[in-house]
Amino acid sequence: MKPKTVDKIATAVIIGVAGLIVLVLAGLLGFILVRGLGHLSFDFLTSPPESIRAGGGIGPQLFNSLFLLVLTMIITVPLGIGAGIYMSEYAKANKITDFIRLVVEVLSSFPSIVVGLFGLLLLVNYFGLGFSLFAGALALTIFNLPLMVRITEQGLKSVPREQKEAALALGLTKWKTITSIMLPIALPIIVSGTILAAGRVFGEAAALLFTAGMSSPRLNFSDWNPLSPVSPLNPFRPAETLAVHIWKINSEGLAPDAAEIAAGASAVLVITVLLFNLLARWLGRFMHRKFTAMK
């Protein structure tokens, strides 16, 4: 068989496989959205759920997911960027560094259910945090930290070596070179990766079943005291997130419209994760053009 013929066949096979994957994803997303979009309304997005009666919403669960996202990123981003800077610029190439990289790779491939069980044993039981948003945020930090470390490290390594050497030659300290030269150039990659990590946090369920809990107290949205047990800003209260709520209502929902509520909640979750991904791509391109003066 001629090389050109082989090349055409291989190209057709690759395009066919890629098209099949796109069709499967489009069909899955379309099925979820078509089932759920008809149930979305302002009342559905803001009202609390009903255990037995019809007409419940996802207001507290949606708020819990967003609040948990903020808590997790507050913990994850500084630790991940700091560890990424150390691994990229300060860690020497030796067996200890190789072991740290191995641990990071292993953590990044951990099933989320394992992270949830670890959080249950260590955070919920041993440290006595109980089922709470804070315990869930710490568990998700363990889940997301390897991703942030790798993103930061790859972003810093993408900086041209000549720019780093020029800054050092001008008399800048290593830390000043990192913060003033390297981080601004690597910022588009780091920001895009951070938004993608946030999308993972928003859609996570398995790790939160054993840490944040599967129920929420009745929240008083007029009480903004973070120490109050009914305050929505209390990080030490149990909190059922949107992804956990979808699992729970599909498995044990008693309301007559449980299927419709699950479909609507699934559509909200899918749309939110899609927005996270689109925002990451747009912001990454925007910042890349801004810092590199590309049109």
Side-chain angles (χ1 to χ4, degrees), residues 34-62:
V34 168
R35 287 185 65 228
L37 287 177
H39 306 292
L40 299 187
S41 64
F42 180 77
D43 182 67
F44 178 76
L45 296 176
T46 56
S47 61
E50 295 288 348
S51 300
I52 301 176
R53 294 182 300 177
I58 58 170
Q61 286 73 23
L62 186 58

Side-chain angles (χ1 to χ4, degrees), residues 255-277:
D257 59 345
E260 289 78 7
I261 294 173
S266 300
V268 172
L269 186 63
V270 167
I271 291 172
T272 306
V273 174
L274 284 175
L275 289 177
F276 275 119
N277 283 269

Side-chain angles (χ1 to χ4, degrees), residues 183-195:
L183 275 179
I185 297 175
L187 196 59
I189 296 176
I190 296 174
V191 171
S192 299
T194 302
I195 297 174

Side-chain angles (χ1 to χ4, degrees), residues 13 18 32 38 57 70 80 85 92 101 119 122 146 153 169 178 199 207 214 231 235 249-250 269:
V13 170
I32 294 174
V70 172
I85 291 173
K92 297 180 180 180
R101 294 184 192 279
L122 187 67
E153 188 177 0
I178 293 171
M214 293 183 284
S231 171
I249 202 169
N250 272 312
L269 186 63

Side-chain angles (χ1 to χ4, degrees), residues 65 68-69 71-73 75-76 112 115-116 119 123 133-146 197-198 200-208 211-212 241:
S65 296
L68 179 66
L69 171 63
L71 285 177
T72 304
M73 300 315 291
I75 302 171
T76 303
S112 57
V115 176
L123 303 173
L133 282 164
F134 189 62
L138 291 177
L140 291 181
T141 297
I142 298 171
F143 184 64
N144 254 9
L145 194 58
R200 292 180 65 188
V201 170
F202 194 86
E204 182 56 44
L208 299 177
T211 52
T241 62

Side-chain angles (χ1 to χ4, degrees), residues 60-265:
Q61 286 73 23
L62 186 58
F63 177 84
N64 289 338
S65 296
L66 295 173
F67 188 30
L68 179 66
L69 171 63
V70 172
L71 285 177
T72 304
M73 300 315 291
I74 287 174
I75 302 171
T76 303
V77 171
L79 291 177
I81 292 178
I85 291 173
Y86 171 78
M87 295 297 294
S88 174
E89 300 300 319
Y90 290 96
K92 297 180 180 180
N94 51 37
K95 292 183 178 180
I96 296 177
T97 306
D98 293 339
F99 177 73
I100 294 175
R101 294 184 192 279
L102 177 63
V103 171
V104 170
E105 293 295 330
V106 171
L107 283 176
S108 65
S109 61
F110 259 25
S112 57
I113 191 70
V114 175
V115 176
L117 290 172
F118 173 79
L120 174 66
L121 294 174
L122 187 67
L123 303 173
V124 176
N125 294 332
Y126 185 79
F127 286 111
L129 294 176
F131 293 108
S132 63
L133 282 164
F134 189 62
L138 291 177
L140 291 181
T141 297
I142 298 171
F143 184 64
N144 254 9
L145 194 58
L147 177 63
M148 284 300 306
V149 173
R150 287 191 298 174
I151 288 170
T152 304
E153 188 177 0
Q154 291 173 3
L156 292 174
K157 286 184 176 179
S158 69
V159 177
R161 187 179 62 181
E162 291 78 8
Q163 289 184 274
K164 177 182 176 182
E165 292 175 347
L168 294 173
L170 289 173
L172 296 180
T173 62
K174 190 170 186 177
W175 178 247
K176 187 66 175 177
T177 300
I178 293 171
T179 56
S180 300
I181 305 297
M182 301 182 69
L183 275 179
I185 297 175
L187 196 59
I189 296 176
I190 296 174
V191 171
S192 299
T194 302
I195 297 174
L196 292 175
R200 292 180 65 188
V201 170
F202 194 86
E204 182 56 44
L208 299 177
L209 291 172
F210 302 100
T211 52
M214 293 183 284
S215 62
S216 294
R218 283 285 180 178
L219 300 179
N220 181 7
F221 282 90
S222 63
D223 183 4
W224 298 105
N225 178 13
L227 300 179
S228 173
V230 295
S231 171
L233 296 183
N234 185 356
F236 299 102
R237 61 176 175 84
E240 181 187 38
T241 62
L242 186 59
V244 174
H245 183 64
I246 294 171
W247 171 84
K248 184 178 178 182
I249 202 169
N250 272 312
S251 60
E252 53 187 54
L254 298 178
D257 59 345
E260 289 78 7
I261 294 173

